[in-house]
Amino acid sequence: MHGKVVVMTGGTSGIGEVAAERLAGVGARLVLVARDRARGEATLARLRARGPGVGHVAHYADLSLIADTKRVAAEIAAAEPRIDVLINNAGAMFGRRRVTADGLELTFATNHMSYFLLTHGLRERLLASAPARVVNTSSAAHRRAGLDFEDLQSTRDYRGFMAYSRSKLCNILYTRELARRSAGTGVTANCLHPGFVATRFGDASGGLFSYVVRASKKVFAISSDKGAETLVYLASSPEVATISGGYFYQCQLATPTRAAQDYAAARRLWAETARLAGLSG
Ligand SMILES: NC(=O)c1ccc[n+]([C@@H]2O[C@H](COP(=O)([O-])OP(=O)(O)OC[C@H]3O[C@@H](n4cnc5c(N)ncnc54)[C@H](OP(=O)(O)O)[C@@H]3O)[C@@H](O)[C@H]2O)c1
């Protein structure tokens, strides 16, 4: 990974932080997208200890907001002449329904819209740097979900884990459509389930869910070290250099649900997301 530039969201905690450190350890230069300056600087300090003199940097944005995500993508595109790997990994779950300033449900905005917007904003850099990779963190939670195009913002009967599961289904559909659209360009797109990992995930979601997740993590979850393996693999292994559109678990191709393999839904989601983002599809 020497000389490679890796842009990563969600690198200040959990599996993203471990993956960032590992990629820095094998020579990559990390460009973090973080929302909190203190957490961003703390992660940068750890990265600099792993790869001194490499010039790791952080940009700051709240990825749940369309304008902020567009702004940070433009900032990174202006600062980085080449991008070899983009890792969309930031994600969260919310016990109660909340709506962003854009009028979008917060889980959908944070977990799905940000992947679409950041990738869109950096696509010229990725294409110019081909072979390049986009890696999207999804989840096996998608198995519980279907998409209701009449209610993508979960206005009816909001349940936090269901909204989360749907956003993770969106991650897979988006990855597959991105791979289809990128065929022949040298830019690949893959996604993954990291496993059930003992990170900060769910701790701030609120309500019963936070309690259950915290208790379950103590018993069932794997470490962040282990949970980061598939992320690092997809970002760096020569074994997957030409694979695109895949869903991976434990560094192996896995089969997502039928709903996640629905090409018509993937195309419709792309068009709807572009419309919500104010971009042409
Ligand atoms: N943990 C699991 O069992 C599990 C299982 C399947 C999939 N996943 C997925 O793995 C990914 C990483 O999660 P994790 O488990 O490592 O959780 P985590 O420790 O909570 O890390 C989440 C990361 O996302 C960032 N983030 C959240 N909202 C953001 C926003 N609005 N703007 C910018 N950054 C934001 C956080 O920033 P701060 O550091 O500032 O909070 C943090 O860096 C997520 O996509 C999650 O859905 C996790």
Side-chain angles (χ1 to χ4, degrees):
M1 293 299 281
H2 280 279
K4 304 267 189 209
V5 176
V6 178
V7 176
M8 181 192 281
T9 72
T12 52
S13 180
I15 62 170
E17 183 164 39
V18 172
E21 285 188 38
R22 263 196 223 155
L23 292 167
V26 292
R29 185 165 79 82
L30 270 294
V31 177
L32 302 177
V33 184
R35 62 176 161 181
D36 182 277
R37 210 161 273 273
R39 295 184 62 75
E41 295 306 308
T43 303
L44 277 182
R46 282 194 283 279
L47 294 180
R48 286 171 185 146
R50 293 296 293 264
V54 183
H56 305 295
V57 291
H59 294 257
Y60 292 93
D62 179 345
L63 293 169
S64 70
L65 300 174
I66 292 175
D68 224 20
T69 308
K70 285 183 177 173
R71 191 255 317 143
V72 85
E75 203 177 283
I76 294 170
E80 302 293 340
R82 63 171 301 118
I83 296 171
D84 300 280
V85 184
L86 167 62
I87 301 176
N88 291 302
N89 171 69
M93 212 206 74
F94 306 96
R96 275 195 303 170
R97 187 173 185 276
R98 288 161 63 183
V99 175
T100 69
D102 303 303
L104 301 177
E105 188 279 313
L106 186 55
T107 328
F108 179 87
T110 307
N111 298 2
H112 167 63
M113 290 296 289
S114 75
Y115 286 23
F116 183 92
L117 281 163
L118 196 60
T119 309
H120 185 271
L122 299 179
R123 74 193 185 290
E124 297 300 337
R125 289 289 174 275
L126 290 159
L127 287 168
S129 313
R133 306 176 183 198
V134 178
V135 180
N136 295 325
T137 303
S138 176
S139 170
H142 82 275
R143 296 195 178 282
R144 300 170 66 96
L147 269 198
D148 177 0
F149 280 99
E150 304 310 314
D151 191 26
L152 283 179
Q153 305 311 318
S154 303
T155 55
R156 297 190 288 264
D157 186 27
Y158 180 85
R159 280 168 290 149
F161 191 65
M162 189 46 76
Y164 174 73
S165 302
R166 257 187 238 123
S167 74
K168 294 288 134 180
L169 172 59
C170 289
N171 293 159
I172 302 177
L173 291 170
Y174 169 60
T175 303
R176 290 168 68 89
E177 179 62 4
L178 180 63
R180 192 185 70 78
R181 287 173 177 244
S182 306
T185 65
V187 178
T188 62
N190 290 295
C191 61
L192 67 133
H193 169 52
F196 180 45
V197 195
T199 63
R200 288 164 58 238
F201 183 81
D203 290 354
S205 302
L208 184 63
F209 183 82
S210 281
Y211 176 79
V212 172
V213 167
R214 248 187 258 121
S216 308
K217 279 194 287 200
K218 283 189 188 139
V219 184
F220 302 113
I222 57 173
S223 67
S224 294
D225 269 0
K226 190 95 190 117
E229 279 174 6
T230 307
L231 198 50
V232 173
Y233 175 75
L234 289 177
S236 60
S237 172
E239 283 173 25
V240 285
T242 56
I243 298 179
S244 197
Y247 169 74
F248 286 74
Y249 175 48
Q250 294 182 332
C251 302
Q252 297 196 332
L253 270 171
T255 307
T257 56
R258 280 180 66 178
Q261 299 180 58
D262 181 341
Y263 275 114
R267 278 196 287 273
R268 189 170 174 194
L269 178 66
W270 183 290
E272 184 59 15
T273 308
R275 189 189 66 75
L276 291 169
L279 303 166
S280 60

